[in-house]
Amino acid sequence: MVQRNRGASSLKLRKPLPMTYQTHIDSTQDLISSYKGTWDGISAESVARMRLQNRFKTGLDIARYTAKIMREDMAAYDADPANYTQSLGCWHGFIGQQKLISIKKHFGTTKRRYLYLSGWMIAALRSDFGPLPDQSMHEKTSVPALIEELYTFLRQADARELGGMFRELDAARGAGNVAREKELLAAIDGYQTHVVPIIADIDAGFGNAEATYLLAKKMIEAGACALQIENQVSDEKQCGHQDGKVTVPHEDFLAKVRACRYAFLELGVEDGIIVTRTDSLGAGLTKQIAVSKTPGDLGDQYNSFLDCEEIDPATARNGDVILNRDGKLLRPKRLPSNLFQFRAGTGEDRCVMDCIASLQNGADLLWIETEKPHIEQIAGMVDRIRAVMPNAKLVYNNSPSFNWTLNFRQQVYDAWVAEGKDVSEYDRAKLMSAEYDASFLADEADERIRTFQRDSAKRAGIFHHLITLPTYHTAALSTDNLAKDYFGDAGMLGYVAGVQRKEIRQGIACVKHQNMSGSDIGDDHKEYFAGEAALKAAGKDNTMNQFSEAA
């Protein structure tokens, strides 16, 4: 008998199945029947359920799926900037999972909502060295590891939610409720996954272009459809909101951009997204002088911003680097660190040049790291970029490094001064003070913060808004509140009133933490594998039943 070979052969010849519940059942039943009774212990419907609960078999499946979503969202934004997208940075798979579960609960769809993977949070929270500054000192493998972890948790969220729908389906059938059965079958076939695009931070590439390519491959294989890379020097990279940033010439950076594109194309993710970030606004230094072959080329433009002094050949010093421009000999100012200095006030011009060069050499989206959230500052640069590249779009960091309250109160203060309004009751330097919280100025500032994403998407070309490390701060804040109460006079009430009661009343799914961690999925599998002999956890004595009215 060669039944196994015949069955395996017929499976290989089978066309890819549509993602419908009944088609999976029918196809699997045909396969089981082909084994002449030896597979009769396998339930075709159980296989269909497991298939639908595991829609994405590899990270590359995820990368291809989510890249298509991002491309569609970019086209929708081009048609109407009201279609901007958003994300929050997540430092653990569970945090990303709960974020998407919450989005589906509150809004019914994950459309235009992504995840962001922050290099800062990996350095601070996920490195084997322990907490580190954001200077690319963490293990590069920790980046693809977090991507894989995030998608593992998102896929488990799918399995958990679909498992609940399958149990409801069984209950409807048991009750003879045909209408409910049809409703559930339609919901299963139209199910929206928790899997969404991740924009993943590859920092400055962790080395040369080859190192960038190798890391990009690992990140894409883990599921990343969008890679964000910055134009700082790799070995002395700094956090975008700290001092001491050093940029590299365009050709060095563009080699890394091409390395990312090669990685996408090699792995068959042809829609892969590359986000090029410029730190030039706050970076006043460069490690090297660019190679220039002809006047006005990219290298010459880069060098034109160097802070130089004209010299006479007779006064040249040993070790001087000399530039010849328009017949003049110029000596770039070199610091004791062996770094070269740009002229003050050239940051915006260099940002614009960086962005145009990136888009002309394969980038899909731009990231301009600014020192404050000011729409007109961003828009001024985007207008100049769009004069050359009309479809330029930004990813923008709504950074926790900004003091949003103070920045926007000062913006309103300045606007009121320009309009001739009386601001005598306000001290501009102290506008963060709580004494202003109930003021008209504070109200207007808060309204500007509330509409910042919508307004800047329309005015400043921002396609994607993200907060890099919000869940770092929320974890610290919620832990502080719990520790203050639980270890204080409130005792156990600090947890019950401050956490569990709110979970129940807000319908937070993980109040049933056993269910969230996969106990019901495990019970389903036990029943598939062992039938009536299965020893299941979800019996009448499971204390999780106390939350039967909770989500």
Side-chain angles (χ1 to χ4, degrees):
M1 297 288 289
V2 204
Q3 296 292 339
R4 184 174 181 82
N5 289 338
R6 187 175 69 83
S9 176
S10 67
L11 182 61
K12 288 179 183 177
L13 295 174
R14 230 178 270 281
K15 292 181 179 180
L17 300 171
M19 290 295 291
T20 62
Y21 189 54
Q22 192 58 49
T23 303
H24 279 303
I25 294 173
D26 293 343
S27 173
T28 306
Q29 188 57 58
D30 288 345
L31 177 62
I32 291 169
S33 298
S34 74
Y35 282 83
K36 307 300 183 185
T38 60
W39 281 19
D40 283 358
I42 302 294
S43 161
E45 186 159 17
S46 296
V47 173
R49 292 179 177 188
M50 294 174 80
R51 284 180 177 175
L52 292 176
Q53 287 174 301
N54 187 25
R55 174 178 173 182
F56 302 98
K57 306 301 185 289
T58 69
L60 286 176
D61 290 339
I62 292 171
R64 295 185 187 105
Y65 169 78
T66 52
K68 183 174 183 291
I69 289 174
M70 276 197 72
R71 292 288 178 179
E72 290 171 349
D73 287 347
M74 289 162 67
Y77 174 82
D78 285 338
D80 183 353
N83 295 318
Y84 62 89
T85 57
Q86 300 167 289
S87 66
L88 296 174
C90 297
W91 54 272
H92 191 278
F94 176 74
I95 301 296
Q97 178 197 65
Q98 293 305 301
K99 173 189 147 184
L100 266 297
I101 288 174
S102 177
I103 286 170
K104 285 193 75 174
K105 179 182 76 173
H106 290 296
F107 305 104
T109 178
T110 62
K111 189 172 180 60
R112 296 200 296 275
R113 281 123 180 165
Y114 305 166
L115 287 176
Y116 178 66
L117 186 152
S118 161
W120 190 99
M121 285 215 280
I122 288 179
L125 298 170
R126 301 301 300 258
S127 171
D128 286 344
F129 294 120
L132 294 170
D134 181 22
Q135 295 173 351
S136 292
M137 294 188 292
H138 54 275
E139 310 84 1
K140 64 178 70 176
T141 53
S142 59
V143 185
L146 179 54
I147 297 169
E148 183 177 6
E149 177 182 293
L150 284 161
Y151 280 129
T152 296
F153 274 80
L154 295 186
R155 291 164 63 204
Q156 193 261 6
D158 282 357
R160 171 190 164 274
E161 188 172 36
L162 281 164
M165 295 167 74
F166 296 145
R167 284 186 287 280
E168 285 189 60
L169 179 63
D170 291 340
R173 286 172 174 169
N177 189 338
V178 176
R180 179 59 178 157
E181 179 183 358
K182 288 182 178 179
E183 180 183 330
L184 284 162
L185 287 170
I188 291 166
D189 286 342
Y191 181 76
Q192 185 182 49
T193 177
H194 292 83
V195 169
V196 297
I198 288 178
I199 297 176
D201 187 358
I202 197 171
D203 280 62
F206 288 85
N208 61 13
E210 176 70 8
T212 303
Y213 155 77
L214 293 171
L215 178 55
K217 279 183 63 177
K218 287 293 185 185
M219 293 170 70
I220 298 162
E221 287 169 341
C225 72
L227 304 179
Q228 169 224 324
I229 186 166
E230 61 199 67
N231 69 337
Q232 289 194 53
V233 63
S234 283
D235 56 348
E236 295 186 83
K237 183 261 183 195
Q238 295 277 28
C239 173
H241 290 280
Q242 292 185 312
D243 207 352
K245 294 185 290 294
V246 182
T247 63
V248 296
H250 293 90
E251 283 305 326
D252 294 44
F253 181 61
L254 295 175
K256 294 183 178 182
V257 173
R258 287 190 288 271
C260 290
R261 182 64 66 201
Y262 272 108
F264 274 124
L265 294 174
E266 177 184 340
L267 295 172
V269 186
E270 296 180 5
D271 285 341
I273 312 293
I274 297 175
V275 183
T276 53
R277 167 177 149 177
T278 173
D279 279 285
S280 289
L281 195 62
L285 304 169
T286 183
K287 194 166 188 177
Q288 63 199 81
I289 293 174
V291 173
S292 174
K293 296 179 180 178
T294 58
D297 64 13
L298 263 180
D300 190 43
Q301 292 179 61
Y302 187 81
N303 294 337
S304 71
F305 292 110
L306 292 170
D307 192 1
C308 300
E309 55 186 352
E310 188 174 351
I311 65 167
D312 185 286
T315 63
R317 299 189 296 257
N318 184 50
D320 272 350
V321 173
I322 307 296
L323 296 179
N324 184 345
R325 179 173 296 124
D326 299 327
K328 297 178 181 179
L329 295 182
L330 304 175
R331 176 168 55 210
K333 292 182 181 177
R334 184 157 54 178
L335 306 179
S337 60
N338 204 31
L339 299 172
F340 295 95
Q341 184 173 293
F342 289 113
R343 295 194 314 278
T346 62
E348 287 202 6
D349 290 339
R350 287 183 283 123
C351 275
V352 171
M353 181 174 69
D354 295 343
C355 291
I356 292 171
S358 290
L359 291 174
Q360 289 176 334
N361 288 273
D364 301 292
L365 295 168
L366 304 170
W367 174 316
I368 299 175
E369 194 72 3
T370 66
E371 82 288 356
K372 60 182 180 294
H374 194 291
I375 292 177
E376 285 306 315
Q377 178 197 29
I378 304 163
M381 289 183 278
V382 171
D383 287 345
R384 294 173 61 189
I385 297 163
R386 284 184 162 178
V388 181
M389 306 296 290
N391 285 332
K393 292 179 283 296
L394 265 62
V395 171
Y396 187 71
N397 178 8
N398 292 224
S399 177
S401 294
F402 302 144
N403 185 331
W404 286 77
T405 301
L406 180 60
N407 266 292
F408 276 83
R409 287 181 182 182
Q410 289 181 338
Q411 288 179 38
V412 172
Y413 180 97
D414 294 342
W416 283 10
V417 169
E419 295 166 10
K421 289 186 178 181
D422 180 10
V423 294
S424 58
E425 63 182 289
Y426 301 102
D427 183 339
R428 189 181 187 279
K430 298 179 180 178
L431 287 174
M432 183 66 201
S433 174
E435 69 179 279
Y436 295 124
D437 286 356
S439 68
F440 290 116
L441 185 147
D443 288 344
E444 183 171 330
D446 281 353
E447 179 61 13
R448 289 191 184 198
I449 294 171
R450 187 185 73 81
T451 63
F452 174 80
Q453 295 188 340
R454 181 194 69 195
D455 295 342
S456 57
K458 182 177 181 180
R459 171 69 185 96
I462 299 176
F463 159 73
H464 185 76
H465 283 277
L466 61 90
I467 307 178
T468 42
L469 39 140
T471 53
Y472 178 89
H473 293 280
T474 56
L477 179 62
S478 62
T479 302
D480 180 77
N481 289 331
L482 176 60
K484 176 183 64 177
D485 292 339
Y486 177 74
F487 293 104
D489 291 340
M492 191 58 196
L493 183 61
Y495 173 76
V496 173
V499 180
Q500 190 181 77
R501 193 176 295 161
K502 291 181 179 180
E503 284 183 299
I504 293 170
R505 291 176 177 171
Q506 290 179 218
I508 304 299
C510 74
V511 71
K512 297 182 179 180
H513 47 260
Q514 304 286 11
N515 166 269
M516 185 57 65
S517 68
S519 64
D520 287 339
I521 297 171
D523 274 358
D524 291 340
H525 291 172
K526 290 175 185 177
E527 189 170 2
Y528 299 163
F529 306 154
E532 293 181 358
L535 183 64
K536 297 194 287 187
K540 63 181 178 62
D541 293 329
N542 189 321
T543 58
M544 194 168 64
N545 295 331
Q546 296 173 27
F547 303 101
S548 58
E549 297 305 315

